[in-house]
Amino acid sequence: MAAGLITNSLTAAMPPLLLSWFDIGATAIVLIIAGALLAGMFMFVRIASDDSDKYKDLKEMVETIFGTPAHLRPSSNDASVNPKGKSSAKDIAAANPAPFSEPCPACSETVTERDSSCPSCGLQLQ
């Protein structure tokens, strides 16, 4: 019973829960930082999606980080090397594979470069 009296006297002595100036200031600082981060993200998205060349370097960095690296992307230099859309020897060789005649790995039927699948068993060929 004595323990109940001590607890009641302690809770009666405590003031009601009030916000102190420290709590209000800390909350305001956290909200300002969160608002600044949100505004920064919106500005970053607007800059990254801008069509002008105003932020060209930043856009290249974003493309490299989140997309295909610059050295793997097709560039305007490729069009200047090959004017008027003429095909190079490499493009022609890739489009027309060398003639061959080999047995199918599944059924040993003879297949050629013209077959995308085996005429006998239907195996898809690469």
Side-chain angles (χ1 to χ4, degrees):
M1 192 147 148
L5 290 175
I6 294 173
T7 307
N8 288 339
S9 64
L10 286 177
T11 56
M14 292 177 56
L17 188 61
L18 296 175
L19 294 176
S20 67
W21 287 107
F22 177 75
D23 294 335
I24 294 171
T27 303
I29 289 172
V30 166
L31 289 175
I32 289 170
I33 291 172
L37 286 172
L38 188 64
M41 287 189 306
F42 277 114
M43 287 177 55
F44 183 76
V45 168
R46 289 192 72 202
I47 288 170
S49 63
D50 190 12
D51 288 336
S52 68
D53 287 337
K54 193 173 184 181
Y55 304 103
K56 184 179 178 184
D57 295 333
L58 180 64
K59 287 176 73 172
E60 285 180 8
M61 284 188 274
V62 170
E63 287 277 332
T64 302
I65 293 171
F66 297 110
T68 306
H71 67 279
L72 295 178
R73 277 183 262 142
S75 64
S76 60
N77 295 343
D78 294 340
S80 64
V81 171
N82 215 352
K84 298 181 183 178
K86 294 182 181 176
S87 299
S88 67
K90 289 181 183 178
D91 295 336
I92 293 171
N96 299 326
F100 66 89
S101 178
E102 295 180 356
C104 173
C107 66
S108 299
E109 180 73 25
T110 304
V111 292
T112 64
E113 75 279 355
R114 293 170 286 175
D115 298 322
S116 61
S117 63
C118 178
S120 176
C121 66
L123 177 71
Q124 291 291 328
L125 304 171
Q126 292 284 71

